[in-house]
Amino acid sequence: MEELRQPIILGSVLFYMVLCIGIGLWAMRKTKSAGDFFVAGRSLGPIVVGLAVFSSSLSGFGFVGGPGLVYSTGLSSVWMSTVTAFGFAIGFFLIAKRIRMIAEVRDTLSLPDIVAARYNSELARGLTGVTILLGVMGYMATQILAMAMVLKALLAATPMFADISLVTCAVISTSVLIFYSVTGGIIASVYTDLVQGSIMIVAGVLVVVTAATVLDGGMTEVSQTIFADDPEAIMPFGTVGVVGVLSWFFLFGFGLAGQPHIITKMMMNRRIEDNKIILPMSMLGYAVAVLLWVSVGLVMRAVVVGDMLTPLEAADQAAPVFLSQYAHPLLAGIVFAGLFAAIMSTADAFLNIGAAAVVHDIPKAVRGMAMKAELASARWATVIISLIATGFALYAHYGSGQLVALLGAFGWGTFAAAIVPIVVIGLNWKRATRPAAITAIIFSLVINLAFQLFGWSLPYAMHPGFLALLVSMILFIIVSLATPREEIAKDIDRIMDL
């Protein structure tokens, strides 16, 4: 079967691409309104939502960027991945119930709608929409770059496409993504999550088993090989250092509850009590799938430093090369197809909230009403955002050489710093005020964008998103206490009492 490795892998990916087109066409028949396009009509069951939530938090960030980060920095990123389960708990215990109830009583379509209802502020709505749009660009670049890199690794292994460029692969990937997202909206995304989430839970376990058998001595030999080359890489904090990984711990632990593509899915379940099923399912699925992140990265680092494989051209090639070199052809084909499913559905989720910001949230903040023909406008916005994000992805790769995981971390940090204070704290603290929310959003954006645009860095490898989140939370509390208490709308006030 080894001689059929490439046909099996390419066939699996091709089958998935065709499946995406089919899902998009099927979902288009169910997408009859902006509510269907943005929040799936708030009619999904707990299994679908649970798998969608965990899938959205991983995607290309975890399956391509994660192993690449472990390959380049050792165990440092374990603090980024494992703590996310803590973030699920924060989100579902503190805000999921309130968000679903506000969505019901106010008929909301987006996170900025929730913010506007809580603070009775169109400015807060608009700033949240701008934040989402900026963060979406970083995250979308992550997904598109990951998809293009994986596709290039697959096609370059065949003689016919040996010289295919990353740009060509990005164009192919973006074209399929645009069709899938424009036709199906969020409905296509969540049902793809249902398939790929199930696949990745099973495949994640099988990949870990495969990784443990690459070297004769298993993971023990992997650890010993890495230790002989660089002891820090296999130590608990990796090569980034204590302060750096603790900044990741804080950013990713608290930050998950501030990710709008995950918060939006909290509006989609049919019943509030479904959260009792959604939370454990999300955490379990994530915990299993994240094993792939760590095991693949460690094995690839070990085989390279142990001179059993030539060094990778880029750290983000760790997962594709591992699957092509060491996994059984059928497993590799399934994981590659699942990987494309993860990337595609998550990219669709980001495009969805980005389009909502463009056609619904920002226009309502500026002129008091959404764009006309909201569904058609959302589809056009999806196309434009996809094209801009593709350009940003290629520029980031060729211009600055940023890793997929670091691009994703920029998007994550942008969302976390702006949204965690105003949503996680704001929906649980009645003393929070409108000026505090606006201040927190503005300062979080200024800090994140300044570090990204000017290439600044913090000492001890601290992540800028950590600083932005810390500052925005402190300012949010201080300004809330320093400004007069505000009256909260009666329906929102009652929901906050629950």
Side-chain angles (χ1 to χ4, degrees), residues 301-322:
R301 186 180 179 104
V303 295
V304 168
V305 300
D307 294 326
M308 289 166 274
L309 189 72
T310 56
L312 303 181
E313 292 181 7
D316 288 326
Q317 293 179 345
V321 171
F322 173 87

Side-chain angles (χ1 to χ4, degrees), residues 465-487:
F466 160 72
L467 176 64
L469 176 56
L470 188 62
V471 170
S472 67
M473 290 177 70
I474 292 172
L475 286 175
F476 182 76
I477 293 170
I478 291 175
V479 175
S480 290
L481 294 174
T483 51
R485 182 185 292 270
E486 297 172 344
E487 184 176 352

Side-chain angles (χ1 to χ4, degrees), residues 37-290:
F37 192 85
F38 293 133
V39 291
R42 292 192 289 273
S43 61
L44 301 177
I47 294 177
V48 177
V49 177
L51 290 174
V53 168
F54 116 71
S55 299
S56 294
S57 63
L58 217 53
S59 66
F61 178 27
F63 290 132
V64 177
L69 207 54
V70 174
Y71 174 82
S72 60
T73 67
L75 285 180
S76 298
S77 70
V78 169
W79 293 78
M80 182 188 291
S81 57
T82 55
V83 73
T84 305
F86 175 64
F88 281 121
I90 291 177
F92 276 90
F93 279 110
L94 294 183
I95 61 173
K97 182 177 180 179
R98 290 181 171 89
I99 282 176
R100 182 62 184 84
M101 294 184 72
I102 293 172
E104 190 70 32
V105 300
R106 291 294 184 97
D107 194 26
T108 61
L109 297 181
S110 64
L111 175 60
D113 280 346
I114 300 287
V115 172
R118 165 61 181 88
Y119 297 100
N120 191 27
S121 170
E122 292 303 320
L123 179 56
R125 181 206 300 272
L127 288 173
T128 306
V130 171
T131 299
I132 288 173
L133 194 56
L134 291 173
V136 159
M137 289 303 171
Y139 252 128
M140 278 299 301
T142 301
Q143 307 306 319
I144 291 170
L145 191 54
M147 201 158 31
M149 283 184 165
V150 173
L151 188 60
K152 184 179 186 302
L154 292 177
L155 294 178
T158 61
M160 183 183 299
F161 301 106
D163 297 324
I164 194 167
S165 68
L166 185 68
V167 174
T168 302
C169 292
V171 170
I172 295 171
S173 302
T174 304
S175 299
V176 176
L177 173 62
I178 288 174
F179 180 87
Y180 167 81
S181 303
V182 166
T183 53
I186 200 65
I187 294 177
S189 172
V190 294
Y191 279 100
T192 302
D193 283 337
L194 178 64
V195 176
Q196 74 90 10
S198 304
I199 290 173
M200 294 315 297
I201 290 174
V202 176
V205 174
L206 295 177
V207 167
V208 172
V209 173
T210 301
T213 61
V214 169
L215 299 183
D216 293 337
M219 296 307 291
T220 300
E221 186 176 348
V222 168
S223 301
Q224 291 171 346
T225 303
I226 296 174
F227 184 84
D229 174 72
D230 183 357
E232 283 191 351
I234 203 66
M235 291 295 138
F237 297 106
T239 60
V240 171
V242 177
V243 176
V245 298
L246 288 180
S247 74
W248 287 355
F249 181 92
F250 181 84
L251 177 61
F252 284 82
F254 288 95
L256 185 135
Q259 303 306 301
H261 57 296
I262 294 176
I263 293 175
T264 301
K265 288 181 170 63
M266 295 177 181
M267 303 182 202
M268 297 181 186
N269 49 306
R270 279 192 295 265
R271 302 178 305 169
I272 293 174
E273 53 266 32
D274 288 344
N275 287 331
K276 296 178 181 178
I277 301 173
I278 295 170
L279 173 58
M281 180 175 292
S282 301
M283 293 178 69
L284 177 63
Y286 184 90
V288 173
V290 83

Side-chain angles (χ1 to χ4, degrees), residues 292-370:
L292 185 151
W293 172 320
V294 179
S295 62
V296 170
L298 288 177
V299 168
M300 290 305 296
R301 186 180 179 104
V303 295
V304 168
V305 300
D307 294 326
M308 289 166 274
L309 189 72
T310 56
L312 303 181
E313 292 181 7
D316 288 326
Q317 293 179 345
V321 171
F322 173 87
L323 292 172
S324 298
Q325 293 278 342
Y326 301 111
H328 187 280
L330 287 176
L331 176 59
I334 291 171
V335 174
F336 271 122
L339 172 58
F340 271 92
I343 295 171
M344 198 77 71
S345 60
T346 304
D348 184 19
F350 286 125
L351 285 172
N352 196 265
I353 61 173
V358 171
V359 307
H360 179 80
D361 302 316
I362 296 174
K364 285 190 78 169
V366 173
R367 59 178 189 167
M369 59 185 295

